[in-house]
């Protein structure tokens, strides 16, 4: 560490990856897991953690690229469920789930657009079908959100994601 000490200023100067440093600071100040920021390649993150002496605290499941997850073995049932829901590259089942999830989103969007077409509102069955589809989609996303909150490594981590808040607000 003496290589980084500037005696004239009586401080250390570390020119390292700022995003990694933010993750390290969160780890120390909030007792959170070490999570690789999406903008940092995994090998760079691990190299930086090695510099800080924190590599042993890093759980690779949090940030492994999709290609690496196919050989990863989940440590628990909760982790396996999370990997299937959040990482399409984890398995064929995870890929199928991701595709199904996208199809549900597309159907929901199409129904939303079709409901705005005035000419279709005159058909009684149309409104019933649209309402039924909306109910099924909302139930699906509500169940998905509850499962994700249940299996996430920490509630704090789940609720710190903006996209998870968007999901929660969209089902309300």
């Amino acid at each position: 560490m003496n290589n980084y000490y500037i005696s004239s200023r009586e401080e250390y100067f570390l020119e390292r990856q700022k995003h990694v440093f933010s993750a390290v600071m969160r780890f120390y100040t909030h007792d959170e897991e070490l999570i690789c920021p999406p903008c940092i390649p995994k090998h760079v993150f691990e190299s930086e953690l090695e510099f800080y002496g924190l590599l042993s605290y890093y759980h690779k499941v949090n940030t492994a690229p999709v290609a690496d997850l196919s050989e990863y073995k989940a440590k628990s049932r909760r982790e396996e469920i999370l990997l299937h829901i959040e990482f399409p590259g984890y398995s064929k089942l995870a890929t199928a789930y991701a595709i199904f999830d996208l199809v549900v989103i597309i159907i929901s969007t199409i129904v939303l657009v079709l409901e705005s077409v005035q000419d279709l509102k005159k058909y009684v069955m149309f409104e019933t079908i649209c309402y039924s589809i909306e109910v099924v989609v909302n139930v699906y996303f509500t169940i998905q959100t509850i499962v994700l909150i249940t299996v996430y490594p920490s509630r704090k981590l789940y609720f710190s994601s903006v996209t998870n808040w968007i999901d929660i607000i969209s089902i309300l």
Side-chain angles (χ1 to χ4, degrees):
M1 266 322 223
N2 288 337
N3 296 346
Y4 302 100
Y5 186 73
I6 302 171
S7 57
S8 63
R9 296 178 71 179
E10 295 183 358
E11 64 186 14
Y12 286 93
F13 178 72
L14 304 173
E15 188 173 3
R16 310 299 295 184
Q17 294 281 339
K18 69 178 181 177
H19 296 294
V20 175
F21 187 74
S22 294
V24 169
M25 287 302 293
R26 274 194 309 281
F27 171 74
Y28 279 122
T29 58
H30 301 298
D31 197 31
E32 291 184 9
E33 291 184 59
L34 284 167
I35 299 171
C36 181
C39 58
I40 302 292
K42 187 174 93 170
H43 70 281
V44 172
F45 187 70
E46 290 174 355
S47 171
E48 292 290 300
L49 291 181
E50 190 173 342
F51 171 82
Y52 291 113
L54 296 173
L55 189 57
S56 62
Y57 295 97
Y58 174 55
H59 301 286
K60 292 181 173 89
V61 67
N62 291 330
T63 58
V66 173
D68 291 344
L69 283 174
S70 62
E71 298 188 18
Y72 180 80
K73 298 293 181 203
K75 296 177 186 82
S76 67
R77 189 73 176 144
R78 285 176 58 175
E79 186 177 69
E80 188 172 340
I81 293 169
L82 178 66
L83 290 168
H84 276 94
I85 294 173
E86 293 283 284
F87 300 99
Y90 178 64
S91 68
K92 289 181 181 179
L93 178 62
T95 303
Y97 177 80
I99 292 169
F100 176 76
D101 202 42
L102 285 173
V103 168
V104 171
I105 291 169
I106 291 168
I107 289 171
S108 175
T109 305
I110 290 170
V111 168
L112 181 68
V113 170
L114 288 177
E115 282 182 320
S116 68
V117 177
Q118 293 299 323
D119 291 342
L120 295 175
K121 288 186 177 186
K122 62 184 174 186
Y123 300 107
V124 176
M125 285 300 293
F126 175 75
E127 287 185 1
T128 306
I129 291 170
C130 287
Y131 178 76
S132 299
I133 291 171
E134 284 179 18
V135 168
V136 169
V137 167
N138 279 332
V139 167
Y140 167 76
F141 284 122
T142 302
I143 291 170
Q144 180 187 49
T145 301
I146 291 169
V147 169
L148 277 172
I149 291 170
T150 305
V151 300
Y152 238 73
S154 86
R155 304 285 184 280
K156 184 189 264 185
L157 181 63
Y158 179 84
F159 289 110
S160 67
S161 168
V162 174
T163 56
N164 290 339
W165 277 106
I166 291 170
D167 289 345
I168 291 169
I169 291 168
S170 71
I171 60 174
L172 294 179

